[in-house]
Amino acid sequence: MRKRSIKNTRVNTEVQRELSNIIRSGLKDPRVAPWTSVVAAEVAPDLKTCKAYISVLGNEEEQKNTMEGLRSAEGFIRRELARTLNMRNTPEITFVLDQSIEYGVTMSKKIEEVTRGMTTSEGEKDVEE
């Protein structure tokens, strides 16, 4: 199976959806933050491995604790994934912390601060021209 094939894209989407459901409803580990989401899942073409990109809304300690909790529950998550997905091989999951959402929020705040810092006279001058 090629990496960018339609089948691989469907498998990635389905694995992402099921991982999200398992983490949200099936995981009882108190270390896993309630605002944990699966941003993306990349399953290898041979269906043996999977990289799950995880986003955690919170500070660095909550992110670290969530990643530790997910790594310790990897066996349970893989077993639940095998139970819900009808695949010949259940991929071995590697969790990767994805900070792109947090980065985007930070950049949006900085842009808002810069635009708010502009004087109103500059804004009025642009409107008149």
Side-chain angles (χ1 to χ4, degrees):
M1 181 167 60
R2 293 189 323 254
K3 189 170 185 172
R4 298 288 177 215
S5 68
I6 294 171
K7 182 180 177 186
N8 192 278
T9 304
R10 281 187 290 180
V11 169
N12 289 343
T13 305
E14 194 62 30
V15 168
Q16 177 184 353
R17 183 180 306 125
E18 290 302 324
L19 279 175
S20 179
N21 289 338
I22 292 167
I23 291 172
R24 186 175 356 103
S25 61
L27 216 54
K28 304 289 189 236
D29 195 335
R31 294 179 288 184
V32 177
W35 294 102
T36 302
S37 61
V38 181
V39 177
E42 288 181 3
V43 180
D46 63 354
L47 303 177
K48 299 278 187 194
T49 60
C50 172
K51 280 186 181 179
Y53 294 93
I54 306 295
S55 177
V56 181
L57 193 63
N59 58 21
E60 283 187 31
E61 185 163 337
E62 287 177 343
Q63 292 175 353
K64 186 176 75 97
N65 289 340
T66 297
M67 294 307 289
E68 287 175 7
L70 289 174
R71 286 188 187 108
S72 70
E74 188 175 326
F76 169 77
I77 293 171
R78 188 173 180 198
R79 186 175 63 243
E80 289 297 308
L81 193 63
R83 191 177 59 80
T84 57
L85 293 179
N86 186 16
M87 294 171 54
R88 178 174 291 157
N89 297 321
T90 304
E92 188 175 323
I93 305 164
T94 304
F95 295 104
V96 179
L97 183 62
D98 183 36
Q99 297 178 332
S100 60
I101 295 175
E102 184 178 342
Y103 178 75
V105 169
T106 304
M107 292 307 291
S108 294
K109 286 180 182 177
K110 287 182 180 181
I111 290 171
E112 188 176 312
E113 288 175 12
V114 169
T115 56
R116 197 178 315 134
M118 294 180 163
T119 61
T120 56
S121 61
E122 286 179 7
E124 293 171 1
K125 192 183 297 182
D126 291 337
V127 173
E128 292 173 3
E129 295 176 7

